[in-house]
Amino acid sequence: MKSVMSNKWIISLYVLPSLLLILLLIYIPIVLTGYYGLMDWNGIGKMKFIGLENYIELARDTKFWQSAWHSLLLGLFSTLSLVGYLILSLILASKIKGANFLRKIYLIPMLLSSVAIGQLWAKIFDPTNGMLNRLLVLIGVDNPPLWLADSNIVLYALFFPIVWQYAGFYIIIFYAALKNVPEELIEAAKIDGATSIQIAYKIKVPLIAGVIKVMVILAIVGSLKYFDLIFVLTGGGPNGASEVMASYMYTEAFSKYNFGYGSAIGFGLLVICIVATWVIQKLLNTKDVDY
C-alpha cells in the first residue's frame, strides 16, 4: 500500500511542472483577459473598473459580429478543404510511385513563416505584376480581379494561401492514420472484388473517423482564431471586408490602445471557440475504432 502511495507521489512530482506551465501560460492569462475586459484601460495608465460595459458593447458591436462571420466562413472553407486533403492522402497511401517525394513537397509550406507566405502570396495577387493576373491575361481575361483590394472577393482570395499553408499538416496526419488501417482488411476486400474507391469510402474512411473528427475541430477552431497571414496580406481591409476576430482584437488593443475592449474581444473569441468545439463534437458524435 505504501509503495502504491509513494508511486502516486512520484508521478505527481513528474506531472507538476507541466501542470504549472499550463496554469501559467493558459489558465491564468484567460482569467486575466476576462478581468481586463472589465476595465477601461489604454495599456499604460491606471485601469478604471467599468463592470460589464465592454462586454455589453461587444454584444452590440456589428463590426465584431461581422468579423466573427468572416472567421466562421474561413472555418467552413477550411472544413470543406479537408475533403481534398483526405483524397490526396488516400492517393498517397495507395502506394503510388513518387509518394515519398510528394509528401515532402506538401510539407514545404510548413517550413515557411506566415510572414514569408504572406509576402509570397502578396506578390502572386499583385493586380499589375502578379503571376495570377498575368496568367489570366494570357488566357484572355481582359479585366482580372483586384484580389486583395476588392471587398467582394478578398475573403475568398485569402482562402487559397490558407489552404496552401496548411496542406502538409493535414495530409501528413491523414496519411499516418491511413497507414495504420490493417492491410488484412484491404486484402480481404480486394479478394471479394471491391474496387479502390469502395475500399476507400467503405473501409479506410470509416476506420479513421475519429481522426477526421479531430481534424474538423482543428480546422474550424484554428480558423476562428486566425490572424497572422490575414494581417500580413490585408490587415483586415479593405473596409473591414477581411477582418476576423483576432485582427479586430489587435486593432482595438494595439492600434487604438483600447486594451479593455480588446481584452473583451479576446474573451469573446475564447467563448466562441469553446462553443464551436462543443457543437462540432455533438454533430460529429463518432467513436474511435480499435483495430
Side-chain angles (χ1 to χ4, degrees):
M1 186 69 179
K2 289 183 179 180
S3 61
V4 173
M5 293 300 295
S6 62
N7 286 337
K8 287 184 177 180
W9 278 108
I10 292 173
I11 293 171
S12 299
L13 287 174
Y14 277 112
V15 174
L16 184 61
S18 299
L19 292 177
L20 289 175
L21 281 175
I22 292 173
L23 183 67
L24 291 172
L25 299 178
I26 298 177
Y27 291 108
I28 290 179
I30 288 174
V31 173
L32 288 176
T33 299
Y35 171 73
Y36 292 146
L38 301 173
M39 303 293 171
D40 180 11
W41 185 40
N42 62 3
I44 301 174
K46 186 177 180 180
M47 291 187 290
K48 178 184 177 183
F49 180 78
I50 58 174
L52 297 175
E53 287 186 18
N54 283 328
Y55 293 101
I56 294 172
E57 183 182 351
L58 183 66
R60 299 171 178 171
D61 190 350
T62 56
K63 288 185 177 180
F64 171 74
W65 292 113
Q66 183 185 36
S67 66
W69 172 244
H70 293 160
S71 296
L72 288 172
L73 280 178
L74 288 177
L76 176 61
F77 296 154
S78 298
T79 304
L80 293 176
S81 69
L82 293 179
V83 177
Y85 298 146
L86 181 57
I87 292 173
L88 286 173
S89 302
L90 287 166
I91 295 172
L92 292 176
S94 61
K95 300 179 181 179
I96 64 169
K97 292 184 179 180
N100 291 330
F101 174 74
L102 290 174
R103 287 203 310 274
K104 294 173 183 177
I105 291 294
Y106 293 137
L107 286 173
I108 287 177
M110 294 182 63
L111 304 177
L112 304 176
S113 68
S114 295
V115 174
I117 292 174
Q119 292 296 327
L120 171 65
W121 280 88
K123 300 298 183 184
I124 293 174
F125 284 135
D126 186 276
T128 305
N129 300 312
M131 180 181 68
L132 183 57
N133 277 6
R134 283 182 175 270
L135 288 175
L136 291 176
V137 170
L138 286 176
I139 63 175
V141 178
D142 294 329
N143 297 307
L146 304 175
W147 297 99
L148 302 181
D150 189 339
S151 59
N152 294 318
I153 63 172
V154 61
L155 199 63
Y156 305 101
L158 289 172
F159 174 61
F160 292 100
I162 290 174
V163 168
W164 184 77
Q165 181 180 15
Y166 289 101
F169 171 77
Y170 289 109
I171 288 173
I172 203 68
I173 297 297
F174 282 139
Y175 177 83
L178 290 168
K179 295 301 287 185
N180 283 325
V181 174
E183 195 66 30
E184 297 81 3
L185 292 177
I186 299 174
E187 293 299 328
K190 288 180 179 178
I191 293 173
D192 290 338
T195 64
S196 298
I197 295 177
Q198 290 173 328
I199 292 172
Y201 77 85
K202 287 188 176 181
I203 296 177
K204 292 183 177 181
V205 172
L207 285 176
I208 64 167
V211 175
I212 294 174
K213 174 184 175 180
V214 173
M215 293 299 100
V216 170
I217 293 174
L218 288 177
I220 293 179
V221 175
S223 298
L224 289 176
K225 58 183 183 179
Y226 209 74
F227 170 74
D228 43 7
L229 187 60
I230 292 175
F231 183 77
V232 172
L233 281 171
T234 66
N239 298 322
S242 63
E243 193 86 85
V244 292
M245 288 185 286
S247 64
Y248 186 49
M249 176 184 66
Y250 178 89
T251 299
E252 289 292 329
F254 297 100
S255 297
K256 298 181 179 180
Y257 298 101
N258 192 353
F259 279 84
Y261 191 59
S263 298
I265 295 172
F267 199 78
L269 171 58
L270 170 66
V271 172
I272 290 175
C273 288
I274 292 173
V275 172
T277 303
W278 180 81
V279 170
I280 296 165
Q281 288 178 334
K282 290 297 181 181
L283 292 175
L284 303 175
N285 189 19
T286 59
K287 295 181 179 179
D288 295 336
V289 178
D290 295 328
Y291 301 142

